[in-house]
Amino acid sequence: MQRAVRIAPSILSADFSRLGDEVEAVTAAGADYIHVDVMDGHFVPNLTIGPVVVKALRKHSSLPFDCHLMIAPVDPYIPEFAAAGADIITVHPEAGPHLHRSVALIKDHGKKAGVALNPATPIEAVEHVLDIIDLVLVMSVDPGFGGQTFIASVTDKIRALRGRIDAMGRAIDLEVDGGINHDTAPIAIAAGADVLVAGTATFGNGPGAYAANIRRLRGEAVRS
Ligand code: DX5
Ligand code: ZN
């Protein structure tokens, strides 16, 4: 079965001095989600943006805002990201003691809930919330920075999750994040991913290239 592949540009690789324009540009270029990487300098060794920036960007795109929270504790900030305009809120199981409670909090705010699995985190970490979540994010790099190399050993995890999700029959996005480019996107897609996060590969070569970059990641032929 040919699955439609959606592209979620990570704004971590955008020009931060003109973030609103960048979000508008990838929206016009055919992106499906806007992926927002939130880092706290504690759960991951980098600091990025918070709900104030999400709120400011909200008016620049009508696409779903896919907010990937790499912060601990995470629960106190879920209401803030919901209020700021997040549509999907993704948390890591390691970011708090009660994953089910974090997911329930996201759902209570009327948002889609995602769970992110680090390269060394097993599928079992998400197993018992698969019946209530909307997205599984498979990290194909250790979280913290854009521009890292795809860890090929996560391919088996993507494939196993695809089997698990199909067997359940629930609509759960299977998103892969980290080191996605024109070489690795086909690997993730073949393993069963249906949403690809791409920072470096989307924002390379400036706004004039965004549409072609996105189409290429989806596997469409693009004349260069
Ligand atoms: C890493 C982030 C990713 C990252 C992707 O912690 O979650 O979203 O920015 O960047 P690229 O596509 O450059 O690997
Ligand atoms: Zn991310």
Side-chain angles (χ1 to χ4, degrees):
M1 184 187 72
Q2 187 64 40
R3 213 180 309 274
V5 176
R6 281 158 287 154
I7 305 298
S10 162
I11 60 170
L12 194 56
S13 298
D15 178 347
F16 268 45
S17 70
R18 4 180 326 273
L19 264 187
D21 293 345
E22 292 277 70
V23 166
E24 286 181 20
V26 289
T27 300
D32 297 282
Y33 294 164
I34 301 296
H35 187 83
V36 182
D37 285 309
V38 178
M39 306 186 184
D40 66 354
H42 162 75
F43 183 69
V44 290
N46 197 2
L47 281 167
T48 56
I49 64 179
V52 174
V53 177
V54 172
K55 187 172 180 213
L57 291 175
R58 191 57 280 189
K59 60 179 178 296
H60 292 276
S61 178
S62 56
L63 291 176
F65 274 19
D66 171 27
C67 291
H68 176 192
L69 306 189
M70 289 161 272
I71 59 179
V74 66
D75 288 2
Y77 298 98
I78 287 171
E80 290 195 45
F81 280 96
D87 298 284
I88 306 165
I89 299 178
T90 296
V91 299
H92 285 252
E94 297 88 351
H98 310 293
L99 179 61
H100 185 281
R101 174 171 283 142
S102 302
V103 169
L105 186 59
I106 296 167
K107 303 296 282 187
D108 282 349
H109 283 81
K111 305 301 179 181
K112 292 190 171 178
V115 173
L117 301 178
N118 282 337
T121 303
I123 289 175
E124 285 68 30
V126 73
E127 178 71 33
H128 295 289
V129 290
L130 272 182
D131 59 328
I132 51 170
I133 63 175
D134 305 283
L135 179 147
V136 179
L137 175 58
V138 177
M139 291 302 305
S140 38
V141 297
D142 284 302
F145 303 95
Q148 301 183 80
T149 302
F150 184 83
I151 298 170
S153 59
V154 304
T155 313
D156 288 345
K157 198 191 303 189
I158 302 168
R159 201 175 292 114
L161 277 163
R162 168 50 57 206
R164 193 72 191 80
I165 290 168
D166 286 352
M168 279 190 96
R170 287 191 72 238
I172 301 176
D173 285 353
L174 181 50
E175 184 175 51
V176 177
D177 184 4
I180 292 291
N181 56 37
H182 308 134
D183 297 320
T184 55
I187 299 170
I189 294 168
D194 52 13
V195 185
L196 302 180
V197 176
T200 311
T202 300
F203 288 98
N205 298 322
Y210 295 170
N213 290 346
I214 289 171
R215 290 210 308 277
R216 240 184 237 121
L217 288 168
R218 265 202 207 98
E220 294 171 24
V222 176
R223 259 182 299 154
S224 50

